[in-house]
Amino acid sequence: MAIEDSSSSSFFAPWPDRLRHSAIILLAAGLALCALVVLADLSPARAVAVFICIAAAALVPWRLHHVAASRDDVRAVTPVESAAVSAVVAGMPDPAVLLDRAGRVIHLNAAAAQLAPALRKNELAQFALRSPEIITALREAIATSEPRRTTYLDQVPVDRWMELIVTPVPVPTLFGGTEKCMLMTFHDQTPLRRVEEMRADFVANASHELRTPLAALSGFIDTLQGPAKEDAKARERFLSIMHTQATRMARLIDDLLSLSRVELSAHVRPDASVDIVPIIRQVADGLEPLARERQVEIEIDLPTEPVTIAGDREELLRLFENLIENALKYGASGGRVIVSLTQATSGEGGAPEVRIMVRDFGPGIAPEHLPRLTERFYRVDVGDSRAQGGTGLGLSLVKHILNRHRGRLLIESVPKNGAVFTACFPQTKPPSVN
C-alpha cells in the first residue's frame, strides 16, 4: 500500500502546479462560456464540453513542453562531465587527470596543468605527456581495464622523480550503463629519492674526507700520550695542528649538511623576493678581516637602487661567501678582488637576468680543470686547497644553489691572468605602479 500511495501521490503531485500555471486561461474561458450561457447563445452542456476541451488544451502542451525541456537539460551534461565530478578532480591534492576511454582529457586540476602545461580538455593526453613510461601505462590500462603504476624521471626544469597511477573508474551513463574512464594521479617521489641519495652521499663523502683528519688527530693524541708527553714545545705544536684539523672537520661537516639541504629542495624554486645588493655588501664586510690578513683589497661596484630576485636569503649569503672567499684565498697574489653587479639578457630567449661577477687577479686556472671545478671534492691543487682550509665543496654548493634558483654559473680563467666567476639569476619583474 505504501508503494501504491507513493506512486499515486507522485503522479498527482504536478497537477496543482499545472493548474496554477493555466489559471488565467481557464478563468478567461470560464467567464466567456458563462456569458454565452447567460445570453442563451450556448447551452450549459455544450459550454461544459467546450470548457473541458480548453482545459485539456491548456494543460497537455505545457506538460509535454516541461518534460522535453527537462530531458534536454539532462542530455546537456552527462554524469562524467558534471560539475560534481569536476569539483572532485579539482579538489585532489596531487596532480590528477580524468580521461575517457579514448584517452581524451575530461577534467584536470590546477596541479596537473602546472605539471604538464600542454594538457587540454577534449584533447588526447598522449600528445601532452610524451614520456614512454606514461604512454605505455595508459595504453595498458585502457586495453585491460586494470590499474597500472609506473615511475619516470621528469628532467625539466630540474630532475624530478614522479610516480604515475592509472586507475579505471566506472562512471554511470544516462541510460543505466557504465562508462570506463581513466583517472591519472601523479605523486612526486623526489623528496624520498633525494633523502636516500643524501644519506648515501653523506656516508660515502664523510667516510672518505673525514678519514684523513681523524687519522691525524688519533696519531697526535697517541704521540702526546707517549713520546711527547713531557715535551712542552712539541705539545704546543701538536695541539695547534689538532685544532686546525678539528676546525677542518667541523667545516667539512657543515658544508656536507648545507649541500644536502640544498639538494633536498632543489626541485622547489624559492619564491620570496630578495634584494641582493645588501646581501653582497654584508658578505664583503664580513670577509674584510680575511682580506686584510691576505693583504687583498675588495673593490665593490654595486648599484645604489635595489636589485630584486626570487631567492632564499640564507642560501644566497652562503653562495656569495664561497665565491668571494675563494677569490681571497686562491687569488691573493693578485692583491685585489672585484665584486660587481650588472643586469643583462641571457642568451636563451633574451630573458633579463642579474649577473654578479667575482674577479681575482691571481694565478688563474688551467683550461683542463674548468669543466670539473663544480664537482664534489674536486681540487686543482689538493695540497694548496687543504692548506687554505678548503673542503672541496664550495663550488659544488654554489652550483646547486644556483640550480635551485634556476640560475647558472659562468667560469672564465686564463693562467696567470686570474679567474672570473659569474653567478647569473633570472630577474623578477618590478611591481607595476598604477
Side-chain angles (χ1 to χ4, degrees):
M1 286 297 293
I3 297 176
E4 292 179 359
D5 292 343
S6 176
S7 61
S8 61
S9 63
S10 63
F11 176 77
F12 288 107
W15 285 99
D17 291 335
R18 297 173 186 175
L19 291 174
R20 186 164 54 254
H21 282 283
S22 306
I24 297 177
I25 298 175
L26 297 178
L27 179 61
L31 292 176
L33 292 174
C34 290
L36 291 175
V37 171
V38 171
L39 295 175
D41 289 339
L42 189 65
S43 64
R46 291 180 178 179
V48 171
V50 172
F51 183 80
I52 292 174
C53 292
I54 293 174
L59 293 175
V60 173
W62 176 86
R63 179 175 180 272
L64 292 177
H65 173 74
H66 175 73
V67 172
S70 63
R71 287 178 179 174
D72 290 340
D73 293 340
V74 172
R75 288 193 187 98
V77 180
T78 59
V80 72
E81 296 177 351
S82 64
V85 177
S86 177
V88 170
V89 175
M92 299 183 69
D94 292 321
V97 184
L98 185 63
L99 311 175
D100 62 14
R101 67 177 66 184
R104 285 186 293 267
V105 178
I106 302 175
H107 300 292
L108 73 159
N109 59 8
Q114 184 178 6
L115 177 66
L119 283 171
R120 297 289 186 273
K121 294 188 68 172
N122 301 321
E123 294 184 6
L124 292 173
Q126 290 92 328
F127 295 155
L129 305 171
R130 299 182 179 275
S131 172
E133 295 87 353
I134 297 177
I135 296 176
T136 300
L138 182 57
R139 288 178 177 174
E140 291 179 355
I142 293 175
T144 62
S145 296
E146 295 179 357
R148 286 292 183 269
R149 184 189 300 261
T150 186
T151 57
Y152 67 96
L153 176 62
D154 186 8
Q155 296 179 310
V156 179
V158 295
D159 289 352
R160 289 195 301 175
W161 288 269
M162 304 295 296
E163 181 185 33
L164 168 65
I165 302 177
V166 185
T167 307
V169 179
V171 179
T173 62
L174 291 173
F175 306 102
T178 57
E179 179 181 356
K180 286 290 184 182
C181 295
M182 297 294 156
L183 180 63
M184 302 173 60
T185 53
F186 299 83
H187 306 281
D188 193 350
Q189 302 294 316
T190 306
L192 296 177
R193 290 289 188 102
R194 293 199 184 279
V195 167
E196 294 175 0
E197 291 182 355
M198 179 183 67
R199 181 177 56 189
D201 290 344
F202 183 83
V203 171
N205 295 329
S207 62
H208 178 267
E209 290 295 321
L210 291 177
R211 185 178 292 112
T212 300
L214 282 175
L217 286 174
S218 178
F220 288 135
I221 291 172
D222 292 341
T223 303
L224 290 174
Q225 289 177 339
K229 186 175 183 179
E230 304 298 334
D231 189 342
K233 186 176 180 180
R235 183 168 60 248
E236 186 72 19
R237 184 169 64 90
F238 290 160
L239 287 175
S240 176
I241 298 174
M242 291 170 66
H243 180 268
T244 302
Q245 295 294 336
T247 303
R248 179 189 167 198
M249 282 196 300
R251 180 161 185 174
L252 176 62
I253 293 173
D254 185 42
D255 284 350
L256 283 171
L257 292 176
S258 298
L259 185 58
S260 299
R261 282 193 295 267
V262 174
E263 288 183 330
L264 186 62
S265 57
H267 63 292
V268 181
R269 182 178 180 179
D271 55 3
S273 295
V274 180
D275 181 9
I276 60 174
V277 174
I279 293 178
I280 299 173
R281 293 189 184 277
Q282 177 182 342
V283 172
D285 292 342
L287 291 174
E288 275 296 335
L290 178 62
R292 287 194 299 268
E293 178 186 338
R294 302 297 173 96
Q295 298 179 353
V296 179
E297 180 183 358
I298 302 178
E299 301 177 9
I300 299 178
D301 182 14
L302 301 176
T304 56
E305 67 275 4
V307 178
T308 303
I309 64 171
D312 183 291
R313 178 179 175 80
E314 296 301 322
E315 291 183 1
L316 293 175
L317 283 169
R318 195 64 182 269
L319 183 149
F320 297 129
E321 180 183 356
N322 281 333
L323 289 180
I324 300 175
E325 186 177 359
N326 279 352
L328 293 174
K329 288 180 177 179
Y330 304 109
S333 60
R336 64 187 179 122
V337 169
I338 299 177
V339 181
S340 61
L341 186 151
T342 58
Q343 301 181 51
T345 56
S346 65
E348 302 173 358
E353 66 179 8
V354 178
R355 297 182 179 181
I356 297 89
M357 183 186 71
V358 179
R359 180 179 182 182
D360 67 69
F361 297 86
I365 305 169
E368 62 269 18
H369 295 295
L370 296 180
R372 302 190 60 188
L373 285 180
T374 57
E375 294 180 10
R376 291 188 182 191
F377 302 113
Y378 184 82
R379 299 176 174 94
V380 176
D381 187 332
V382 177
D384 182 49
S385 175
R386 289 179 175 172
Q388 300 286 356
T391 62
L393 294 173
L395 290 179
S396 179
L397 184 60
V398 167
K399 182 190 72 172
H400 282 85
I401 293 176
L402 281 170
N403 288 343
R404 183 173 181 237
H405 287 72
R406 306 300 185 261
R408 56 201 180 107
L409 179 64
L410 305 179
I411 305 176
E412 302 174 19
S413 181
V414 177
K416 299 182 180 180
N417 285 325
V420 180
F421 292 82
T422 305
C424 305
F425 298 89
Q427 186 171 11
T428 57
K429 296 181 179 178
S432 58
V433 180
N434 296 329

